[in-house]
Amino acid sequence: MIGFKDLEQKLKDNGYKTTKQRRAILQVLYENVQRFISAEDIYNKTKEKFNTTNFSTVYRNLEILERLGIIHKTNIEDGISVYELICHREHHHHIICKKCGKTEIIDFCPFENIEHILDDKGFEATEHKFEVYGYCSKCKSDV
Amino acid sequence: MIGFKDLEQKLKDNGYKTTKQRRAILQVLYENVQRFISAEDIYNKTKEKFNTTNFSTVYRNLEILERLGIIHKTNIEDGISVYELICHREHHHHIICKKCGKTEIIDFCPFENIEHILDDKGFEATEHKFEVYGYCSKCKSDV
DNA sequence: ATGGCTGCAAACGTTTTGCACTTTT
DNA sequence: AAAAGTGCAAAACGTTTGCAGCCAT
């Protein structure tokens, strides 16, 4: 597991300054480990911590964090992107609760099962996506 | 494999009228079987066939076609949706070429491998996505 | 004091909508 | 004749950008 200090350090190491807004965004992400949250949610929660924060600032920082490999961006539903702190170093996939947004890591990657298929086809894979959507044990009772 | 007539019939059966625009959109999708294309591409190609077609008409029809299970919608890249005719009845996954948009079916579904994991967690899965992106044999040489 | 960082407002690209008109049935 | 479908223009949506001023270093 990665600590909050590590995150701030990684930013510093890469020449980024420590601003109040940036720290607040990082805190929000840190408090939502294992949960995909939207830019809007991040913006709102960041505002609670430090009320002069702007959408541009949020997006600009999310872009930096993604570039540094600190967060992971995906499109769960049409059009909207969601973000999550990367707290595990290994490649992995997710189970995602459509109600509360909670994610869990699946300890299985289907890629190795199809590598030979891709080789046969002469297909050069660059990325793959495996995600399971549904309702977690907590949420499935009250759907 | 599904024929073009079957598609028109399915629309009729569900109470949708056969208009020139709708037929042109359907034709474009039919000519691009096994290829994800964007709404913009569909719009342009539809215009070639029948030049009074509008973006609203394209989007409205794509929505209907998706609801009827005739096409499949995904987000390959940020923000833009791509569409593909569903021409196989069985559940399956895709290999997608990022250059030409060509898709191929992967004869493997990872879901069964993780069912027991989900059961253990008490997670109720409703959907899953497994997609492999990269470059097909034709495109990989000229990237 | 320099550079990066921010807030603001305006622009962006994709998609959706309201409404008057047209077409299919 | 009725219902559904269309085109148009305008709006909505999430996201990005240019710029002037601000703040961390």
Side-chain angles (χ1 to χ4, degrees):
Chain A
M1 269 304 201
I2 289 162
F4 187 72
K5 292 280 171 204
D6 299 326
L7 299 176
E8 292 207 306
Q9 195 54 48
K10 187 154 188 176
L11 281 167
K12 268 187 193 157
D13 292 349
N14 285 80
Y16 293 101
K17 293 179 178 170
T18 308
T19 64
K20 286 156 192 154
Q21 293 87 341
R22 186 164 284 160
R23 176 176 285 141
I25 292 166
L26 222 42
Q27 268 173 25
V28 169
L29 287 162
Y30 198 72
E31 288 166 10
N32 286 275
V33 159
Q34 303 250 103
R35 186 163 273 122
F36 276 118
I37 51 174
S38 63
E40 195 184 353
D41 287 351
I42 295 169
Y43 168 72
N44 288 326
K45 286 173 202 270
T46 303
K47 263 203 129 150
E48 287 168 21
K49 295 198 183 306
F50 184 72
N51 88 338
T52 57
T53 301
N54 194 273
F55 253 116
S56 326
T57 306
V58 170
Y59 278 113
R60 278 192 272 237
N61 277 295
L62 289 174
E63 203 206 314
I64 292 168
L65 295 172
E66 203 201 354
R67 210 167 43 232
L68 293 183
I70 292 174
I71 60 171
H72 169 216
K73 178 183 182 183
T74 323
N75 304 70
I76 292 203
E77 284 175 279
D78 289 356
I80 89 146
S81 295
V82 288
Y83 305 83
E84 186 198 38
L85 253 194
I86 295 173
C87 55
H88 294 258
R89 302 195 183 282
E90 317 81 41
H91 167 79
H92 60 268
H93 301 285
H94 288 106
I95 299 170
I96 302 148
C97 179
K98 293 194 286 185
K99 186 136 188 288
C100 70
K102 191 180 169 208
T103 67
E104 277 195 72
I105 286 167
I106 307 172
D107 188 22
F108 169 73
C109 174
F111 192 72
E112 55 196 44
N113 288 274
I114 59 146
E115 259 180 312
H116 68 279
I117 301 177
L118 302 178
D119 288 346
D120 289 352
K121 293 184 192 295
F123 190 89
E124 185 190 323
T126 52
E127 298 104 39
H128 64 279
K129 185 181 258 192
F130 176 42
E131 283 163 0
V132 181
Y133 302 99
Y135 300 99
C136 73
S137 52
K138 275 194 186 125
C139 290
K140 76 176 169 185
S141 42
D142 45 83
V143 169
Chain B
M1 267 308 202
I2 289 163
F4 187 71
K5 292 279 171 206
D6 299 327
L7 298 176
E8 292 208 307
Q9 194 56 49
K10 186 154 188 177
L11 281 166
K12 268 186 193 157
D13 292 349
N14 285 79
Y16 293 102
K17 295 177 178 170
T18 308
T19 64
K20 286 159 192 152
Q21 293 86 343
R22 186 164 284 160
R23 175 175 287 141
I25 292 166
L26 222 40
Q27 268 174 25
V28 169
L29 287 162
Y30 198 73
E31 288 167 9
N32 286 276
V33 159
Q34 304 249 103
R35 185 163 275 122
F36 275 115
I37 52 175
S38 64
E40 195 184 352
D41 286 351
I42 294 168
Y43 168 71
N44 288 326
K45 287 174 203 271
T46 303
K47 264 203 129 153
E48 288 169 21
K49 294 198 183 307
F50 183 71
N51 87 336
T52 57
T53 303
N54 196 273
F55 252 116
S56 326
T57 305
V58 170
Y59 278 112
R60 279 192 274 238
N61 277 295
L62 290 174
E63 202 206 316
I64 292 168
L65 295 172
E66 202 201 354
R67 210 167 44 233
L68 293 183
I70 292 176
I71 60 170
H72 169 216
K73 179 182 180 181
T74 325
N75 303 71
I76 293 204
E77 283 176 279
D78 289 356
I80 89 147
S81 295
V82 288
Y83 305 84
E84 185 199 39
L85 253 196
I86 296 173
C87 55
H88 294 258
R89 302 195 183 285
E90 317 81 42
H91 167 80
H92 61 267
H93 301 285
H94 287 109
I95 300 171
I96 301 147
C97 178
K98 293 195 286 186
K99 187 137 188 288
C100 71
K102 191 180 169 206
T103 67
E104 277 194 73
I105 286 168
I106 306 173
D107 188 22
F108 169 73
C109 174
F111 192 70
E112 54 194 44
N113 288 273
I114 59 147
E115 258 179 314
H116 68 280
I117 301 177
L118 302 178
D119 287 347
D120 290 351
K121 292 185 191 295
F123 189 89
E124 184 191 322
T126 54
E127 298 105 38
H128 64 280
K129 183 181 258 193
F130 177 41
E131 282 164 2
V132 181
Y133 303 99
Y135 299 100
C136 73
S137 52
K138 275 196 187 124
C139 291
K140 76 175 172 187
S141 42
D142 45 82
V143 170

